[in-house]
Amino acid sequence: MAMSKKLRKGALAVLGLAAVASGVQAAGDQPLWEIGAGLAAFSFPSYRGSDQTHNFLMPVPHFTYHGDFLKADRQGIRGSFFDSDRLDLTVSLALAPPVSSDDITARAGMPDLEGTFEIGPQMDVTFWRSENRARFVKLLLPLRAAVTVEGSPKTIGWVFHPKLNMDITDIPGMGGWNLGMLAGPLFGDKRQHAYYYTVAPQYATADRPAYEAKAGYAGMQYLVALSKRFSKYWVGGFVRYDNLSGATFEDSPLVRQKDYFAAGVAFTWVFGESSTRVKVDD
């Protein structure tokens, strides 16, 4: 039975934020798995380029797992096909909640934006790693196919999001605090951009002319995250900045804001962990 839009929105939001609320710990011996729960508050645009925001306050799960293949941690949920000193091939996932066009002035009268699920391979290239493997600089190369989450899912193209990633575990002078930084451009094919930014002739108005989005560059994205794991709980937050200047769809009438910030904070309690300890490199 198909889920209601409100239920899908909540489910996707919780799943998408679960990775953010996963514990960040120093490299070394860690429990095979941990489980917990907490609360998170987030604010982000209805879609990239929207001038309206959505605010969420919701429960979030805390889950980490450090298996030989399946891993769930600060980098998300992924499967590791092979892992060398410099290269790591994994599966990349991304989620986005649905948005009702009734709630967005720019899209009034247009079809709603369904929730989306993205999946694809990701190659990680390590440029530098500290001797204790607690700090590193990597190039992440995810290529994901996107589909809508609805009764009859449809494919909506591909997303390529290369980004430079620096992680600093146990910041000097801030014992136990961990810093993560990501920066990189986004690219999408025509179907991906059309889903968000094309205005079909039947939906054109005096203030919203018809527009056909093209494939190509989709702007830059920068993210900074700070977190700390205590004995039985974890706290963290992030700030993300997007800039759509130069994007192939920047002239779409649905792009109402070319640069903006998104942010979130989370607090989780860890109430269970495995007695089995495993070596975690990063």
Side-chain angles (χ1 to χ4, degrees):
M1 182 171 60
M3 291 189 294
S4 69
K5 183 174 291 292
K6 180 178 289 188
L7 182 57
R8 293 201 307 272
K9 185 172 185 176
L12 284 175
V14 169
L15 288 172
L17 302 177
V20 177
S22 295
V24 179
Q25 303 179 43
D29 289 337
Q30 297 181 22
L32 174 63
W33 56 263
E34 292 180 335
I35 190 169
L39 289 172
F42 292 85
S43 178
F44 50 86
S46 300
Y47 58 88
R48 298 183 69 239
S50 173
D51 59 353
Q52 294 178 247
T53 60
H54 277 76
N55 300 312
F56 291 92
L57 176 64
M58 63 184 65
V60 292
H62 172 109
F63 177 68
T64 63
Y65 184 79
H66 302 292
D68 292 333
F69 172 74
L70 180 64
K71 302 177 188 295
D73 53 23
R74 68 187 183 275
Q75 299 178 53
I77 301 172
R78 65 199 192 282
S80 181
F81 293 100
F82 73 82
D83 188 357
S84 71
D85 190 51
R86 295 293 178 183
L87 297 177
D88 187 15
L89 178 62
T90 67
V91 173
S92 174
L93 302 174
L95 295 163
V99 177
S100 171
S101 291
D102 292 339
D103 299 329
I104 308 173
T105 302
R107 294 186 60 86
M110 295 184 66
D112 295 339
L113 293 176
E114 299 292 342
T116 61
F117 172 72
E118 299 175 9
I119 184 171
Q122 174 173 302
M123 179 67 74
D124 299 346
V125 183
T126 300
F127 293 142
W128 172 83
R129 182 187 283 119
S130 63
E131 187 174 346
N132 65 356
R133 306 179 75 87
R135 304 174 185 182
F136 58 79
V137 177
K138 292 183 178 183
L139 177 64
L140 312 181
L141 300 169
L143 176 64
R144 299 188 297 265
V147 298
T148 59
V149 180
E150 54 184 323
S152 299
K154 60 181 179 182
T155 60
I156 53 170
W158 293 82
V159 177
F160 180 49
H161 186 14
K163 47 198 171 185
L164 194 64
N165 173 208
M166 174 182 287
D167 268 23
I168 302 175
T169 301
D170 202 11
I171 303 171
M174 298 177 63
W177 286 95
N178 306 299
L179 176 68
M181 294 175 284
L182 291 165
L186 289 89
F187 301 89
D189 68 0
K190 185 173 181 177
R191 282 186 300 170
Q192 169 67 200
H193 293 170
Y195 184 70
Y196 292 99
Y197 305 107
T198 283
V199 178
Q202 64 267 35
Y203 301 117
T205 67
D207 298 324
R208 188 178 63 203
Y211 180 86
E212 184 175 357
K214 301 177 182 178
Y217 177 65
M220 286 289 294
Q221 193 172 91
Y222 308 85
L223 184 145
V224 176
L226 188 66
S227 64
K228 183 173 182 177
R229 168 62 192 274
F230 297 87
S231 60
K232 291 298 181 181
Y233 63 93
W234 175 92
V235 62
F238 77 92
V239 175
R240 194 186 82 192
Y241 172 70
D242 280 55
N243 190 305
L244 304 185
S245 296
T248 58
F249 51 77
E250 70 172 326
D251 294 330
S252 168
L254 299 177
V255 175
R256 298 295 179 91
Q257 189 167 271
K258 295 184 181 180
D259 67 317
Y260 56 86
F261 287 93
V265 294
F267 181 96
T268 64
W269 291 267
V270 180
F271 48 72
E273 66 177 41
S274 168
S275 59
T276 302
R277 312 289 291 190
V278 295
K279 178 72 173 180
V280 178
D281 290 336
D282 51 47

